[in-house]
Amino acid sequence: MNKRLLGALGTVIIGAGVIAGIGTYVASAKNDSRVLAATPAGTINTAQGNLPHYTLDMSAYPDSMAGSHGTTGGKHPGWVTYGPVTNFQVPAHSVITVTIKQYDSGARITNDFFASVHGTIDGTAIINGKAVKSVDPEAVGHTFTLHGLSDAKSQLFVSVPLPSLPDALIPSSGYSKTPNTITFSLITGDAGKYVWNCEYPCGDGTIARFGGPMSTQGYMSGNFDVVNA
Ligand SMILES: [Cu+2]
C-alpha cells in the first residue's frame, strides 16, 4: 500500500500543473450520488425456494485512480477505494451474487471475526475458485461488510474478507493483472436501507488507521439499498 501511495502522490505532483478540472473531482468525491443496480440473471434454487437471481460486480483498489473518483483520482488519489461506485441497489427477496476483484495489499486484520465469512448462502465465499469459510487473518486486504439499518424490517448481516495480494504482485503503476477474485451470494430480505463498509483498518494513521478513506463515504463505505422489484 505504501508503494502505491508514493506512486500515486508522485503522479499527483507531476500532474497537478496540467489538471485544470480537479475541483470538479473534489466536489464529486465529497458526495458521490452514483448508484450501481444489480444485473438480472434469471432465477436460482435455494432452501427458500426458487428466487430471482441478480449479479453485482465491484472492485477494491489500492488507490483512487480507478472507480468513481475520476481519472486523476479526485481529491485523494492515494486513498484506497471500492469501485466503480460505492452505492448499490438490489431487489428484495432475491439472491445477489457479488463478485469482487481485489487489487490491494494488506496485513493483519484487527478483529479475527472479520477474517471469517458470515451471512452468505452456505456461509462460504469462493476465493480464486475455492470455497472457503475464512481466510488467513494475517493477510487481509479489505472486507465487504453489510449491515441492516433500523428502518429495514429484515435483519441482514453479511461479511466477507478479501485476501490481500502479496506486495510483490502490486505493480508500481497500474493494477495487478492477477487480482484476487471473491464471489459470494446472499439472500436479501425486505426492502430497506442498508449500509456496507470495510472492517480492515486500511485508512490513514488517524484513529488507528480507521481515518481517511475508512471514514469517508465513497471510498470504503456506501449505501446498499434493497428495493421492491
Ligand atoms: Cu478497506
Side-chain angles (χ1 to χ4, degrees), residues 60 80 82 104 141-143 197-203 214 219-220:
V80 291
Y82 269 74
D104 201 3
H142 301 279
T143 78
N197 69 297
C198 169
E199 293 285 352
Y200 174 76
C202 59
M214 285 296 281
Y219 289 87
M220 280 288 143

Side-chain angles (χ1 to χ4, degrees), residues 40-203:
T43 61
I44 191 167
N45 277 317
T46 74
Q48 299 179 25
N50 196 253
L51 295 176
H53 187 204
Y54 293 81
T55 61
L56 195 57
D57 293 349
M58 61 187 83
S59 298
Y61 297 108
D63 59 30
S64 289
M65 303 304 283
S68 63
H69 306 290
T71 52
T72 63
K75 187 179 181 183
H76 305 287
W79 280 13
V80 291
T81 192
Y82 269 74
V85 298
T86 59
N87 299 316
F88 305 105
Q89 181 183 292
V90 303
H93 304 291
S94 300
V95 174
I96 315 299
T97 297
V98 180
T99 299
I100 305 177
K101 289 202 184 323
Q102 205 298 94
Y103 293 91
D104 201 3
S105 58
R108 175 161 240 298
I109 194 153
T110 317
N111 182 342
D112 282 10
F113 177 85
F114 293 109
S116 293
V117 177
H118 303 279
T120 64
I121 293 178
D122 294 339
T124 64
I126 297 167
I127 298 182
N128 299 332
K130 192 176 159 207
V132 302
K133 293 193 169 181
S134 63
V135 305
D136 180 1
E138 301 288 343
V140 176
H142 301 279
T143 78
F144 183 85
T145 303
L146 176 62
H147 314 259
L149 294 178
S150 57
D151 68 341
K153 291 188 206 106
S154 297
Q155 289 303 312
L156 188 59
F157 178 80
V158 176
S159 188
V160 176
L162 315 183
S164 57
L165 280 184
D167 283 336
L169 290 184
I170 309 279
S172 56
S173 68
Y175 299 120
S176 173
K177 291 189 169 49
T178 55
N180 288 324
T181 302
I182 299 95
T183 302
F184 56 94
S185 295
L186 60 100
I187 298 177
T188 54
D190 293 334
K193 300 255 177 220
Y194 300 77
V195 293
W196 70 271
N197 69 297
C198 169
E199 293 285 352
Y200 174 76
C202 59

